[in-house]
Amino acid sequence: MEQTTTDLSSANPPVAFGTRLARYLARFWPAPLPVDGRERLRACMGVFVGIAMTGLLSRWWAGVNHVGPWLVAPLGASAVLVFAVPASPLAQPWSVFGGNTLSALVGATVAMFVPDPAWAGAIAVGAAIGVMFAMRCLHPPGGASALLVALSAQSFSFAVFPILVNSILLIVAGLVYNTLTGRAYPHSPSMPASREKGAVTRFSAADLDAALAHYNQVLDVSRDDLEALLHHAEANAYQRNFGQLRCRDVMTPDPVSVQFGTSLADAWALMREHKIKALPITDRERRLVGIVTMADFMRNADLRSHEGIGRRLMNLVRKKGGTHSNMPEVVGQIMTREVRVASEDRHVAELVPLFSHGGHHHIPVIDKENRLRGIITQTDLVRSLHQAI
């Protein structure tokens, strides 16, 4: 048996070192921030207002008799969180207050027992993170507060002033400024619109919790905000994939149809041949005048008794030989005249209530002159929904 081999080196040529290096370095380039210039200006002005207010009031509070700093550097990092990302769990009031203050207390405690600044700083920051995790106040500037206090061997009073006082003043500034500029602070997660309306979504809260547990990392976004974001993205994708579909995109074009005078026998044979349950009825110009369905045949076969239903149905569709008959003979005599139709340009999403609650199974599609162009069935609708999700 002859074997063939493939030259993998020619199928996948080696990538030049310069290209590999460029791709590696590109990973360090940050992605653009999805905020406009107005939001950036709002954040910059907020940091300016917050630091200025905190600094001026802290200096006034300290007075001339206070020896030592009255404004600490970690507060600059706290201000970035409070004013630039006020929705972040790391920027909430308890995170700012507890993160900075508790970390400062940890730093002062470590400095008392570890004289070497290098070891004291490392132990203080690590322990401060542990405390912040335990107290649910994880705040990145808290690590800087712990390091500052440990390196300078400050006492516990330093955690009260300036750190605690600075933090409280910054929080107050954040409450006022963010509220005035349209940003909720403290941030309250919003409920996704799709969930408020009771719409079925592709994932549940339990699915999200399982995904977060698998990810097992701290995210700079609350769980509820993440869920809301995913639901909004899902709704936008649904709107893009399904909401913009029109009837012409999903209909069955040029459906099998009959005219008013088509015999019941011929119409029944067409329905069985093409395995369909409805036949649009048109005039000679192909304008829609009605529709005949399986239900119309059954109704005229007298369904008051189940006995002999097959025989009665055959009697209905059998061609009559006489010139006069009390039984209907053509589809025009049993058709439904009031037909729910849809135009070619109509959005498919608008037809969902007709199929789900209106009891419709077939909706003819017409053009501007009422000519039959196609038909949409439940199968067509389900297929388009499946493609959208």
Side-chain angles (χ1 to χ4, degrees):
M1 180 176 179
E2 184 180 355
Q3 295 182 347
T4 59
T5 59
T6 302
D7 187 359
L8 297 179
S9 61
S10 60
N12 300 297
V15 181
F17 173 77
T19 302
R20 296 199 307 270
L21 179 61
R23 292 176 181 175
Y24 176 75
L25 294 177
R27 296 165 58 187
F28 291 90
W29 185 252
L33 296 175
V35 293
D36 56 19
R38 181 176 180 180
E39 174 61 18
R40 298 182 187 190
L41 178 61
R42 189 200 69 83
C44 294
M45 291 301 299
V47 171
F48 168 77
V49 171
I51 294 296
M53 171 183 157
T54 302
L56 293 173
L57 290 178
S58 295
R59 186 174 63 180
W60 170 81
W61 180 275
V64 295
N65 296 324
H66 177 74
V67 178
W70 38 265
L71 187 64
V72 292
L75 207 70
S78 296
V80 173
L81 291 172
V82 171
F83 296 98
V85 283
S88 169
L90 309 178
Q92 300 313 297
W94 170 238
S95 296
V96 178
F97 175 84
N100 283 331
T101 306
L102 294 177
S103 297
L105 292 173
V106 169
T109 302
V110 172
M112 292 174 58
F113 297 98
V114 182
D116 188 331
W119 286 107
I123 296 173
V125 175
I129 292 175
V131 170
M132 287 188 287
F133 267 123
M135 299 303 294
R136 300 183 182 182
C137 58
L138 189 64
H139 187 60
S145 297
L147 184 61
L148 172 65
V149 175
L151 291 180
S152 57
Q154 297 286 347
S155 64
F156 292 109
S157 62
F158 189 83
V160 177
F161 186 88
I163 291 182
L164 183 147
V165 173
N166 285 174
S167 299
I168 292 177
L169 292 174
L170 186 70
I171 291 170
V172 172
L175 290 170
V176 175
Y177 182 84
N178 284 320
T179 301
L180 292 178
T181 55
R183 296 292 181 269
Y185 188 78
H187 179 68
S188 299
S190 58
M191 187 68 67
S194 59
R195 291 174 60 196
E196 289 178 349
K197 296 178 182 178
V200 177
T201 59
R202 298 187 67 185
F203 68 91
S204 65
D207 295 328
L208 179 60
D209 291 336
L212 290 174
H214 176 75
Y215 188 70
N216 196 30
Q217 295 184 43
V218 177
L219 294 176
D220 195 12
V221 59
S222 70
R223 180 213 169 281
D224 292 331
D225 281 340
L226 178 61
E227 183 178 6
L229 183 65
L230 291 175
H231 278 296
H232 283 302
E234 182 184 46
N236 288 337
Y238 175 84
Q239 180 65 25
R240 173 174 53 82
N241 294 330
F242 181 72
Q244 298 303 319
L245 283 179
R246 300 183 184 274
C247 290
R248 69 165 73 91
D249 301 320
V250 303
M251 70 181 185
T252 299
D254 300 322
V256 179
S257 63
V258 294
Q259 294 187 1
F260 186 96
T262 302
S263 68
L264 296 181
D266 290 341
W268 181 258
L270 280 174
M271 294 175 71
R272 297 195 62 180
E273 176 186 354
H274 295 279
K275 298 179 180 180
I276 55 179
K277 298 180 180 180
L279 282 172
I281 301 175
T282 63
D283 59 15
R284 294 181 179 179
E285 299 297 327
R286 201 155 173 81
R287 293 185 178 88
L288 188 71
V289 296
I291 192 170
V292 62
T293 66
M294 193 76 69
D296 294 321
F297 279 94
M298 296 298 181
R299 183 174 59 254
N300 284 272
D302 188 6
L303 297 183
R304 287 175 295 180
S305 173
H306 292 290
E307 297 180 359
I309 182 173
R311 177 179 52 80
R312 292 198 303 274
L313 184 59
M314 289 300 100
N315 289 336
L316 174 68
V317 301
R318 183 182 297 116
K319 292 184 178 181
K320 316 301 187 293
T323 57
H324 296 84
S325 174
N326 294 327
M327 297 286 291
E329 298 184 13
V330 297
V331 292
Q333 295 175 284
I334 69 170
M335 71 178 184
T336 301
R337 297 179 180 273
E338 296 182 0
V339 185
R340 174 75 72 171
V341 297
S343 64
E344 294 178 285
D345 296 330
R346 190 172 182 180
H347 287 97
V348 178
E350 299 177 16
L351 303 184
V352 173
L354 300 179
F355 284 100
S356 61
H357 302 298
H360 292 78
H361 303 280
H362 313 81
I363 298 182
V365 180
I366 59 175
D367 59 16
K368 295 180 180 180
E369 298 180 356
N370 201 36
R371 290 189 175 90
L372 180 67
R373 302 292 295 174
I375 192 168
I376 295 179
T377 66
Q378 289 179 324
T379 302
D380 297 323
L381 183 68
V382 171
R383 184 186 302 112
S384 63
L385 282 170
H386 174 72
Q387 294 173 350
I389 61 177

mmCIF file of all heavy atoms in Angstrom, residues 287-319:
data_model
loop_
_atom_site.group_PDB
_atom_site.id
_atom_site.type_symbol
_atom_site.label_atom_id
_atom_site.label_comp_id
_atom_site.label_asym_id
_atom_site.label_seq_id
_atom_site.Cartn_x
_atom_site.Cartn_y
_atom_site.Cartn_z
ATOM 1 N N ARG A 287 -52.733 37.761 -6.976
ATOM 2 C CA ARG A 287 -53.080 38.518 -5.772
ATOM 3 C C ARG A 287 -53.751 37.570 -4.782
ATOM 4 O O ARG A 287 -54.598 36.764 -5.151
ATOM 5 C CB ARG A 287 -54.001 39.684 -6.108
ATOM 6 C CG ARG A 287 -53.345 40.769 -6.949
ATOM 7 C CD ARG A 287 -54.281 41.952 -7.128
ATOM 8 N NE ARG A 287 -53.666 43.021 -7.887
ATOM 9 C CZ ARG A 287 -53.695 43.120 -9.212
ATOM 10 N NH1 ARG A 287 -54.334 42.193 -9.926
ATOM 11 N NH2 ARG A 287 -53.115 44.123 -9.820
ATOM 12 N N LEU A 288 -53.387 37.722 -3.518
ATOM 13 C CA LEU A 288 -53.882 36.823 -2.483
ATOM 14 C C LEU A 288 -55.356 37.115 -2.190
ATOM 15 O O LEU A 288 -55.740 38.259 -1.946
ATOM 16 C CB LEU A 288 -53.053 36.985 -1.203
ATOM 17 C CG LEU A 288 -53.321 35.976 -0.093
ATOM 18 C CD1 LEU A 288 -52.800 34.599 -0.477
ATOM 19 C CD2 LEU A 288 -52.660 36.438 1.208
ATOM 20 N N VAL A 289 -56.188 36.065 -2.213
ATOM 21 C CA VAL A 289 -57.609 36.229 -1.904
ATOM 22 C C VAL A 289 -58.035 35.378 -0.711
ATOM 23 O O VAL A 289 -59.133 35.551 -0.187
ATOM 24 C CB VAL A 289 -58.482 35.870 -3.132
ATOM 25 C CG1 VAL A 289 -58.213 36.831 -4.279
ATOM 26 C CG2 VAL A 289 -58.241 34.426 -3.567
ATOM 27 N N GLY A 290 -57.166 34.451 -0.265
ATOM 28 C CA GLY A 290 -57.523 33.615 0.872
ATOM 29 C C GLY A 290 -56.471 32.543 1.084
ATOM 30 O O GLY A 290 -55.416 32.532 0.445
ATOM 31 N N ILE A 291 -56.793 31.626 1.972
ATOM 32 C CA ILE A 291 -55.898 30.506 2.254
ATOM 33 C C ILE A 291 -56.734 29.315 2.681
ATOM 34 O O ILE A 291 -57.779 29.462 3.338
ATOM 35 C CB ILE A 291 -54.880 30.881 3.348
ATOM 36 C CG1 ILE A 291 -53.764 29.832 3.436
ATOM 37 C CG2 ILE A 291 -55.560 31.049 4.701
ATOM 38 C CD1 ILE A 291 -52.606 30.258 4.333
ATOM 39 N N VAL A 292 -56.323 28.135 2.266
ATOM 40 C CA VAL A 292 -56.993 26.916 2.682
ATOM 41 C C VAL A 292 -55.979 26.067 3.432
ATOM 42 O O VAL A 292 -54.848 25.883 2.976
ATOM 43 C CB VAL A 292 -57.585 26.153 1.471
ATOM 44 C CG1 VAL A 292 -56.505 25.714 0.489
ATOM 45 C CG2 VAL A 292 -58.396 24.948 1.937
ATOM 46 N N THR A 293 -56.389 25.576 4.564
ATOM 47 C CA THR A 293 -55.488 24.807 5.417
ATOM 48 C C THR A 293 -56.070 23.423 5.683
ATOM 49 O O THR A 293 -57.226 23.134 5.348
ATOM 50 C CB THR A 293 -55.250 25.517 6.762
ATOM 51 O OG1 THR A 293 -56.483 25.543 7.490
ATOM 52 C CG2 THR A 293 -54.754 26.942 6.545
ATOM 53 N N MET A 294 -55.265 22.590 6.284
ATOM 54 C CA MET A 294 -55.726 21.266 6.682
ATOM 55 C C MET A 294 -56.931 21.377 7.604
ATOM 56 O O MET A 294 -57.862 20.562 7.535
ATOM 57 C CB MET A 294 -54.591 20.521 7.387
ATOM 58 C CG MET A 294 -54.829 19.042 7.567
ATOM 59 S SD MET A 294 -54.600 18.111 6.050
ATOM 60 C CE MET A 294 -52.823 18.262 5.835
ATOM 61 N N ALA A 295 -56.934 22.413 8.442
ATOM 62 C CA ALA A 295 -58.053 22.595 9.369
ATOM 63 C C ALA A 295 -59.351 22.875 8.620
ATOM 64 O O ALA A 295 -60.431 22.460 9.061
ATOM 65 C CB ALA A 295 -57.746 23.731 10.336
ATOM 66 N N ASP A 296 -59.268 23.593 7.485
ATOM 67 C CA ASP A 296 -60.470 23.864 6.695
ATOM 68 C C ASP A 296 -61.050 22.572 6.127
ATOM 69 O O ASP A 296 -62.277 22.375 6.111
ATOM 70 C CB ASP A 296 -60.137 24.831 5.555
ATOM 71 C CG ASP A 296 -59.739 26.208 6.061
ATOM 72 O OD1 ASP A 296 -60.357 26.675 7.032
ATOM 73 O OD2 ASP A 296 -58.801 26.800 5.497
ATOM 74 N N PHE A 297 -60.188 21.695 5.655
ATOM 75 C CA PHE A 297 -60.675 20.408 5.146
ATOM 76 C C PHE A 297 -61.329 19.615 6.264
ATOM 77 O O PHE A 297 -62.412 19.037 6.082
ATOM 78 C CB PHE A 297 -59.505 19.613 4.547
ATOM 79 C CG PHE A 297 -59.149 20.021 3.148
ATOM 80 C CD1 PHE A 297 -58.157 20.949 2.914
ATOM 81 C CD2 PHE A 297 -59.816 19.460 2.060
ATOM 82 C CE1 PHE A 297 -57.823 21.312 1.619
ATOM 83 C CE2 PHE A 297 -59.486 19.820 0.755
ATOM 84 C CZ PHE A 297 -58.481 20.756 0.531
ATOM 85 N N MET A 298 -60.674 19.577 7.422
ATOM 86 C CA MET A 298 -61.210 18.800 8.530
ATOM 87 C C MET A 298 -62.550 19.367 9.004
ATOM 88 O O MET A 298 -63.477 18.619 9.344
ATOM 89 C CB MET A 298 -60.206 18.779 9.682
ATOM 90 C CG MET A 298 -58.900 18.078 9.354
ATOM 91 S SD MET A 298 -59.162 16.334 8.963
ATOM 92 C CE MET A 298 -57.469 15.813 8.655
ATOM 93 N N ARG A 299 -62.647 20.677 9.029
ATOM 94 C CA ARG A 299 -63.894 21.301 9.496
ATOM 95 C C ARG A 299 -65.063 20.963 8.584
ATOM 96 O O ARG A 299 -66.178 20.695 9.052
ATOM 97 C CB ARG A 299 -63.698 22.816 9.581
ATOM 98 C CG ARG A 299 -64.913 23.547 10.134
ATOM 99 C CD ARG A 299 -64.664 25.034 10.340
ATOM 100 N NE ARG A 299 -64.290 25.691 9.099
ATOM 101 C CZ ARG A 299 -63.056 26.099 8.794
ATOM 102 N NH1 ARG A 299 -62.075 25.872 9.660
ATOM 103 N NH2 ARG A 299 -62.793 26.685 7.648
ATOM 104 N N ASN A 300 -64.821 20.962 7.295
ATOM 105 C CA ASN A 300 -65.895 20.675 6.353
ATOM 106 C C ASN A 300 -66.172 19.186 6.220
ATOM 107 O O ASN A 300 -67.160 18.795 5.594
ATOM 108 C CB ASN A 300 -65.553 21.253 4.979
ATOM 109 C CG ASN A 300 -65.750 22.756 4.928
ATOM 110 O OD1 ASN A 300 -66.840 23.236 4.627
ATOM 111 N ND2 ASN A 300 -64.683 23.498 5.226
ATOM 112 N N ALA A 301 -65.301 18.356 6.780
ATOM 113 C CA ALA A 301 -65.559 16.919 6.790
ATOM 114 C C ALA A 301 -66.390 16.517 7.994
ATOM 115 O O ALA A 301 -66.644 15.320 8.202
ATOM 116 C CB ALA A 301 -64.236 16.156 6.777
ATOM 117 N N ASP A 302 -66.818 17.477 8.821
ATOM 118 C CA ASP A 302 -67.658 17.251 9.993
ATOM 119 C C ASP A 302 -66.942 16.399 11.031
ATOM 120 O O ASP A 302 -66.987 15.172 11.001
ATOM 121 C CB ASP A 302 -68.975 16.576 9.590
ATOM 122 C CG ASP A 302 -69.959 16.516 10.766
ATOM 123 O OD1 ASP A 302 -69.646 17.105 11.828
ATOM 124 O OD2 ASP A 302 -71.025 15.901 10.605
ATOM 125 N N LEU A 303 -66.269 17.089 11.972
ATOM 126 C CA LEU A 303 -65.466 16.408 12.988
ATOM 127 C C LEU A 303 -66.220 16.211 14.298
ATOM 128 O O LEU A 303 -65.625 15.960 15.329
ATOM 129 C CB LEU A 303 -64.179 17.206 13.257
ATOM 130 C CG LEU A 303 -63.222 17.343 12.078
ATOM 131 C CD1 LEU A 303 -61.968 18.084 12.511
ATOM 132 C CD2 LEU A 303 -62.854 15.989 11.518
ATOM 133 N N ARG A 304 -67.536 16.334 14.255
ATOM 134 C CA ARG A 304 -68.278 16.163 15.503
ATOM 135 C C ARG A 304 -68.163 14.735 16.030
ATOM 136 O O ARG A 304 -68.308 14.482 17.214
ATOM 137 C CB ARG A 304 -69.756 16.519 15.279
ATOM 138 C CG ARG A 304 -69.991 18.016 15.122
ATOM 139 C CD ARG A 304 -71.424 18.322 14.776
ATOM 140 N NE ARG A 304 -71.775 17.790 13.456
ATOM 141 C CZ ARG A 304 -72.991 17.922 12.888
ATOM 142 N NH1 ARG A 304 -73.946 18.561 13.534
ATOM 143 N NH2 ARG A 304 -73.222 17.416 11.692
ATOM 144 N N SER A 305 -67.883 13.803 15.149
ATOM 145 C CA SER A 305 -67.681 12.415 15.557
ATOM 146 C C SER A 305 -66.387 11.909 14.929
ATOM 147 O O SER A 305 -66.105 12.165 13.760
ATOM 148 C CB SER A 305 -68.857 11.536 15.087
ATOM 149 O OG SER A 305 -68.567 10.182 15.347
ATOM 150 N N HIS A 306 -65.581 11.212 15.739
ATOM 151 C CA HIS A 306 -64.306 10.697 15.241
ATOM 152 C C HIS A 306 -64.489 9.447 14.388
ATOM 153 O O HIS A 306 -63.580 9.037 13.676
ATOM 154 C CB HIS A 306 -63.375 10.380 16.409
ATOM 155 C CG HIS A 306 -62.925 11.604 17.139
ATOM 156 N ND1 HIS A 306 -62.065 12.517 16.594
ATOM 157 C CD2 HIS A 306 -63.248 12.071 18.370
ATOM 158 C CE1 HIS A 306 -61.855 13.503 17.450
ATOM 159 N NE2 HIS A 306 -62.573 13.246 18.545
ATOM 160 N N GLU A 307 -65.653 8.824 14.468
ATOM 161 C CA GLU A 307 -65.871 7.588 13.723
ATOM 162 C C GLU A 307 -66.021 7.908 12.233
ATOM 163 O O GLU A 307 -66.778 8.785 11.833
ATOM 164 C CB GLU A 307 -67.123 6.868 14.244
ATOM 165 C CG GLU A 307 -66.997 6.423 15.695
ATOM 166 C CD GLU A 307 -68.258 5.722 16.167
ATOM 167 O OE1 GLU A 307 -69.201 5.616 15.357
ATOM 168 O OE2 GLU A 307 -68.288 5.302 17.332
ATOM 169 N N GLY A 308 -65.266 7.192 11.448
ATOM 170 C CA GLY A 308 -65.377 7.350 10.003
ATOM 171 C C GLY A 308 -64.831 8.655 9.471
ATOM 172 O O GLY A 308 -65.247 9.108 8.400
ATOM 173 N N ILE A 309 -63.885 9.271 10.188
ATOM 174 C CA ILE A 309 -63.367 10.563 9.752
ATOM 175 C C ILE A 309 -62.637 10.447 8.416
ATOM 176 O O ILE A 309 -62.751 11.311 7.545
ATOM 177 C CB ILE A 309 -62.433 11.173 10.820
ATOM 178 C CG1 ILE A 309 -61.947 12.538 10.359
ATOM 179 C CG2 ILE A 309 -61.270 10.260 11.126
ATOM 180 C CD1 ILE A 309 -61.157 13.281 11.407
ATOM 181 N N GLY A 310 -61.894 9.348 8.233
ATOM 182 C CA GLY A 310 -61.186 9.159 6.973
ATOM 183 C C GLY A 310 -62.149 9.045 5.810
ATOM 184 O O GLY A 310 -61.926 9.607 4.731
ATOM 185 N N ARG A 311 -63.240 8.317 6.004
ATOM 186 C CA ARG A 311 -64.224 8.147 4.940
ATOM 187 C C ARG A 311 -64.895 9.464 4.600
ATOM 188 O O ARG A 311 -65.077 9.792 3.427
ATOM 189 C CB ARG A 311 -65.273 7.108 5.393
ATOM 190 C CG ARG A 311 -66.411 6.913 4.376
ATOM 191 C CD ARG A 311 -67.382 5.850 4.888
ATOM 192 N NE ARG A 311 -67.819 6.132 6.246
ATOM 193 C CZ ARG A 311 -68.783 7.022 6.538
ATOM 194 N NH1 ARG A 311 -69.366 7.724 5.580
ATOM 195 N NH2 ARG A 311 -69.132 7.205 7.805
ATOM 196 N N ARG A 312 -65.239 10.251 5.637
ATOM 197 C CA ARG A 312 -65.885 11.531 5.378
ATOM 198 C C ARG A 312 -64.945 12.491 4.667
ATOM 199 O O ARG A 312 -65.357 13.273 3.823
ATOM 200 C CB ARG A 312 -66.376 12.140 6.694
ATOM 201 C CG ARG A 312 -67.517 11.353 7.326
ATOM 202 C CD ARG A 312 -68.257 12.193 8.371
ATOM 203 N NE ARG A 312 -67.377 12.680 9.412
ATOM 204 C CZ ARG A 312 -67.071 11.978 10.507
ATOM 205 N NH1 ARG A 312 -67.564 10.741 10.656
ATOM 206 N NH2 ARG A 312 -66.285 12.475 11.427
ATOM 207 N N LEU A 313 -63.648 12.452 5.025
ATOM 208 C CA LEU A 313 -62.678 13.324 4.367
ATOM 209 C C LEU A 313 -62.530 12.946 2.898
ATOM 210 O O LEU A 313 -62.463 13.813 2.021
ATOM 211 C CB LEU A 313 -61.329 13.243 5.082
ATOM 212 C CG LEU A 313 -60.217 14.167 4.572
ATOM 213 C CD1 LEU A 313 -60.644 15.627 4.661
ATOM 214 C CD2 LEU A 313 -58.930 13.956 5.356
ATOM 215 N N MET A 314 -62.514 11.645 2.597
ATOM 216 C CA MET A 314 -62.413 11.209 1.207
ATOM 217 C C MET A 314 -63.663 11.593 0.419
ATOM 218 O O MET A 314 -63.593 11.955 -0.752
ATOM 219 C CB MET A 314 -62.193 9.692 1.160
ATOM 220 C CG MET A 314 -60.803 9.250 1.644
ATOM 221 S SD MET A 314 -59.447 9.958 0.651
ATOM 222 C CE MET A 314 -58.929 11.336 1.719
ATOM 223 N N ASN A 315 -64.821 11.512 1.050
ATOM 224 C CA ASN A 315 -66.045 11.933 0.382
ATOM 225 C C ASN A 315 -66.016 13.421 0.055
ATOM 226 O O ASN A 315 -66.536 13.854 -0.967
ATOM 227 C CB ASN A 315 -67.265 11.615 1.252
ATOM 228 C CG ASN A 315 -67.551 10.122 1.316
ATOM 229 O OD1 ASN A 315 -67.160 9.363 0.416
ATOM 230 N ND2 ASN A 315 -68.233 9.684 2.380
ATOM 231 N N LEU A 316 -65.376 14.212 0.951
ATOM 232 C CA LEU A 316 -65.315 15.658 0.730
ATOM 233 C C LEU A 316 -64.467 15.996 -0.487
ATOM 234 O O LEU A 316 -64.849 16.829 -1.325
ATOM 235 C CB LEU A 316 -64.756 16.361 1.971
ATOM 236 C CG LEU A 316 -64.512 17.871 1.838
ATOM 237 C CD1 LEU A 316 -65.831 18.623 1.700
ATOM 238 C CD2 LEU A 316 -63.723 18.392 3.051
ATOM 239 N N VAL A 317 -63.313 15.355 -0.623
ATOM 240 C CA VAL A 317 -62.381 15.728 -1.686
ATOM 241 C C VAL A 317 -62.637 14.971 -2.983
ATOM 242 O O VAL A 317 -62.042 15.286 -4.023
ATOM 243 C CB VAL A 317 -60.919 15.487 -1.236
ATOM 244 C CG1 VAL A 317 -60.622 16.296 0.009
ATOM 245 C CG2 VAL A 317 -60.639 14.013 -1.003
ATOM 246 N N ARG A 318 -63.523 13.948 -2.956
ATOM 247 C CA ARG A 318 -63.808 13.194 -4.182
ATOM 248 C C ARG A 318 -64.581 14.070 -5.153
ATOM 249 O O ARG A 318 -65.500 14.792 -4.783
ATOM 250 C CB ARG A 318 -64.611 11.936 -3.850
ATOM 251 C CG ARG A 318 -64.879 11.055 -5.101
ATOM 252 C CD ARG A 318 -65.716 9.833 -4.763
ATOM 253 N NE ARG A 318 -65.007 8.970 -3.823
ATOM 254 C CZ ARG A 318 -65.415 8.711 -2.601
ATOM 255 N NH1 ARG A 318 -66.535 9.272 -2.158
ATOM 256 N NH2 ARG A 318 -64.725 7.914 -1.818
ATOM 257 N N LYS A 319 -64.164 14.019 -6.408
ATOM 258 C CA LYS A 319 -64.835 14.827 -7.432
ATOM 259 C C LYS A 319 -66.259 14.342 -7.633
ATOM 260 O O LYS A 319 -66.512 13.144 -7.718
ATOM 261 C CB LYS A 319 -64.074 14.760 -8.751
ATOM 262 C CG LYS A 319 -62.702 15.439 -8.707
ATOM 263 C CD LYS A 319 -62.024 15.422 -10.064
ATOM 264 C CE LYS A 319 -60.672 16.146 -10.001
ATOM 265 N NZ LYS A 319 -59.983 16.161 -11.323
#
